[in-house]
Structures are given as structure tokens and as C-alpha cells.
């Protein structure tokens, strides 16, 4: 197996955004008093109209979704594996998504003063100007950064310790990398399995309503899989071709209107699932 450090890198996504909500202790106390309750919960004010921050939130969610779709699990610190062969597509799309996020933030900040004045009317007696950051403060509530680092390599571990201790640390790094490698491939197989299962479950119900995304998402995943295939698994590539050839060959409308085609694709999806069970969990 090619050393994982030669095929991939670590990537972390960090997004900051203002929550635009604030717990109001006075209102919470009044509600509890009105209902003769204690420790019943808390009342959170929506500091600006929900529609005002919706674009920023949707853009941030799109960034996260793209990041997770194009990377594989690594550890507990938020880092994920980005394959070298996916580096250019990932960074190119991420630049555009970051620009969209920053544009949405800029529009929100330009409207911020008006939104505060709107909240003064909307919240009435619950309005508290102290809940709202000023000027540069609100700008600092937002940010989007992508950090890319090399994967840790046992070969590059050099410190002044006893040889035996260094050897043990290197072995732990190697074991960690191997574990991450296996977990990443399990994740890829499971993504494909769950997508195919979702299609099979829907299409086996002759009267089930489904969106175009049922087919489109699976086809998009198949197109992405070569850039997620960390082990260059021939089995995964063969399975990808099967899914494309048998499950992605019809348009969604064809599967809605042609019951014969729908039944055939449902049957093919179930057969592929049975074959795939042998790979789930094995990487």
C-alpha cells in the first residue's frame, strides 16, 4: 500500500457566524412566574429578522456540505482527509463558495444598522441595544478559512529521545494512519451503500413520490468517487461503474412514468446492495 501521506493531506474548515440570538433572563423569569414553573427552560430572542441572516446561513451550510462530501474522516479535532487528486477541484470550488459567503456577509453588514432599528420596533420592550455588537465587532463575528496541512508521517518524526521511545512513537503514528486509512474507505463504501439503499427503498414502492435528487445525487456521488478512492480500490471502482450503468441510466421522469423501468432499476439496486454488503466495513 502506498504511504497515505503521499496521497493525501489534512484539511480543516473553520466558519464563524453570528448566532443573532440572545437569552433573555427577564422574559424567562416572567414566563416561569406566569406559569408557576421553575427551571423550565429559557427564552431566546431572535435579534434580527430570520430572513436577514438566511442567505449567510444557507451559504455557510453549502460550504460545509461541499467540504464533507469531498473529504474523508480523520480525527477528533475537525481535520479531514483530502486526496491529492481532489485538491484542485476542492480548492477551486471552495474559493467560489468562500466568495459567495463573503458576499452574503457583506450584504448583511451593509443592512445591519437598519436591521437593528427594525428589531427595536419588532421586539418592542424586549429590545436591548446592548445585545448588538457595534461596527467592527459585527464584522469580526464572521469568517471562513480553510487550513491545509500534511498528514503526520512516522518517517518525519525526529526528536531527542531514546531510540526505543522514538520507535514506539513512530509505530503509534503508523497505526493511527492505518486506522484512518481504513476508516476513510469504510466511509466511502457506506456513502455509496446508503445512496443505493435510498434509491432501492423508494423505487420498490410503486406509488412513492421522489425528487430528482434521488437519481441526481447518486450520479453525482459516482462522479466524485474516483477522487475519494484513497486505496485506489478496484472493487470500489468496479462497483461505481455498475451503479452508473444500471442505476444512473434513466432520467427521474422516466422512473416516475415507466413502471417497467422503475421495477428493473429497483431490482438492480437491490442486487447491487447484496454484492456491496461484502465490502461494507472491510474498506
Amino acid at each position: 500500500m502506498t504511504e497515505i501521506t503521499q496521497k493525501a493531506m489534512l484539511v480543516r474548515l473553520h466558519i464563524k457566524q453570528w448566532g443573532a440570538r440572545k437569552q433573555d433572563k427577564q422574559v424567562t423569569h416572567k414566563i416561569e412566574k406566569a406559569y408557576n414553573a421553575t427551571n423550565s427552560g429559557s427564552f431566546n430572542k431572535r435579534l434580527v429578522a430570520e430572513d436577514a441572516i438566511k442567505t449567510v446561513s444557507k451559504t455557510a451550510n453549502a460550504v460545509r456540505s461541499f467540504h464533507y462530501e469531498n473529504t474523508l474522516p480523520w480525527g477528533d479535532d475537525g481535520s479531514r482527509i483530502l486526496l491529492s487528486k481532489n485538491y484542485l477541484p476542492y480548492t477551486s470550488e471552495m474559493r467560489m463558495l468562500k466568495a459567495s459567503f463573503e458576499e452574503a456577509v457583506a450584504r448583511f453588514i451593509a443592512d445591519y444598522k437598519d436591521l437593528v432599528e427594525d428589531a427595536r420596533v419588532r421586539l418592542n420592550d424586549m429590545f436591548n441595544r446592548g445585545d448588538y455588537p457595534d461596527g467592527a465587532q459585527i464584522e469580526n463575528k464572521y469568517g471562513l478559512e480553510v487550513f491545509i496541512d500534511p498528514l503526520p508521517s512516522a518517517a518525519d518524526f525526529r526528536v531527542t529521545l531514546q531510540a526505543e521511545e522514538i520507535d514506539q512513537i513512530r509505530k503509534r503514528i503508523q497505526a493511527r494512519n492505518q486506522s484512518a486509512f481504513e476508516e476513510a474507505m469504510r466511509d466511502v463504501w457506506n456513502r455509496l451503500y446508503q445512496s443505493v439503499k435510498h434509491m432501492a427503498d423508494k423505487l420498490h414502492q410503486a406509488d412513492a413520490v421522489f425528487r430528482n435528487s434521488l437519481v441526481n445525487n447518486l450520479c453525482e456521488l459516482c462522479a466524485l468517487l474516483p477522487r475519494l478512492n484513497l486505496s485506489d480500490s478496484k472493487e470500489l471502482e468496479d462497483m461505481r461503474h455498475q451503479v452508473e450503468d444500471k442505476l444512473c441510466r434513466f432520467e427521474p421522469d422516466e422512473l416516475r412514468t415507466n413502471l417497467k423501468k422503475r421495477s428493473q432499476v429497483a431490482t438492480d439496486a437491490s442486487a447491487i446492495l447484496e454484492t456491496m454488503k461484502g465490502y461494507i466495513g472491510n474498506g
Side-chain angles (χ1 to χ4, degrees):
M1 180 185 72
T2 304
E3 174 67 35
I4 188 175
T5 56
Q6 298 174 25
K7 302 174 63 174
M9 60 205 77
L10 292 180
V11 60
R12 285 183 295 116
L13 173 65
H14 180 62
I15 300 177
K16 289 194 304 180
Q17 54 184 331
W18 186 43
R21 290 179 181 270
K22 178 78 173 183
Q23 181 183 349
D24 193 315
K25 294 181 179 179
Q26 290 184 343
V27 174
T28 299
H29 177 69
K30 288 179 180 178
I31 292 172
E32 290 189 329
K33 187 175 180 181
Y35 286 91
N36 193 28
T38 57
N39 296 322
S40 60
S42 60
F43 181 84
N44 290 284
K45 294 182 292 189
R46 184 176 292 132
L47 298 181
V48 297
E50 189 173 12
D51 287 347
I53 59 171
K54 187 177 293 184
T55 301
V56 177
S57 299
K58 286 177 65 177
T59 307
N61 289 339
V63 174
R64 288 192 190 92
S65 294
F66 174 79
H67 173 71
Y68 278 93
E69 287 168 3
N70 281 266
T71 58
L72 300 169
W74 166 255
D76 300 329
D77 65 348
S79 295
R80 290 178 66 83
I81 299 173
L82 173 66
L83 272 67
S84 301
K85 56 189 172 185
N86 198 28
Y87 174 81
L88 289 178
Y90 173 88
T91 54
S92 177
E93 180 67 18
M94 189 59 78
R95 277 194 295 270
M96 290 190 287
L97 288 169
K98 182 178 180 181
S100 297
F101 176 81
E102 291 174 345
E103 182 181 343
V105 170
R107 287 198 299 269
F108 172 78
I109 291 173
D111 295 338
Y112 181 63
K113 287 184 179 180
D114 291 338
L115 292 171
V116 174
E117 291 307 309
D118 171 72
R120 190 186 298 276
V121 176
R122 183 173 53 81
L123 293 176
N124 201 3
D125 291 342
M126 285 192 290
F127 179 82
N128 179 357
R129 185 61 182 84
D131 293 336
Y132 297 83
D134 286 318
Q137 287 182 318
I138 190 65
E139 293 185 32
N140 289 334
K141 295 288 185 181
Y142 290 92
L144 190 158
E145 294 293 338
V146 176
F147 303 94
I148 296 178
D149 297 296
L151 278 156
S153 171
D156 290 336
F157 186 79
R158 300 181 183 91
V159 294
T160 306
L161 292 173
Q162 295 293 325
E164 184 177 343
E165 293 172 323
I166 293 175
D167 185 57
Q168 289 298 316
I169 293 173
R170 283 178 173 162
K171 286 180 179 178
R172 284 199 293 271
I173 293 173
Q174 289 173 335
R176 167 68 185 278
N177 287 353
Q178 179 62 30
S179 175
F181 185 100
E182 294 168 359
E183 175 61 26
M185 289 306 299
R186 278 194 294 271
D187 181 83
V188 177
W189 276 106
N190 279 316
R191 284 194 208 184
L192 184 59
Y193 183 89
Q194 293 302 327
S195 293
V196 173
K197 185 176 185 301
H198 182 50
M199 175 177 277
D201 291 344
K202 277 290 183 182
L203 297 187
H204 275 300
Q205 303 173 50
D207 58 347
V209 176
F210 62 88
R211 297 180 179 179
N212 291 355
S213 58
L214 180 74
V215 178
N216 295 341
N217 287 351
L218 179 59
C219 298
E220 289 171 7
L221 175 59
C222 285
L224 177 62
L225 282 180
R227 303 200 304 272
L228 296 177
N229 191 348
L230 184 58
S231 67
D232 294 321
S233 167
K234 182 180 182 301
E235 291 81 7
L236 180 62
E237 183 63 9
D238 289 344
M239 191 64 66
R240 181 181 77 86
H241 283 302
Q242 280 194 53
V243 173
E244 282 187 327
D245 293 342
K246 294 184 177 181
L247 309 186
C248 295
R249 56 182 173 144
F250 298 119
E251 293 295 325
D253 281 342
E254 291 182 88
L255 299 179
R256 292 189 184 99
T257 59
N258 190 317
L259 295 182
K260 183 177 180 180
K261 290 180 180 179
R262 180 180 181 132
S263 177
Q264 182 59 56
V265 172
T267 300
D268 289 342
S270 293
I272 287 173
L273 286 175
E274 284 302 311
T275 303
M276 215 182 303
K277 284 180 181 178
Y279 299 106
I280 297 301
N282 297 328

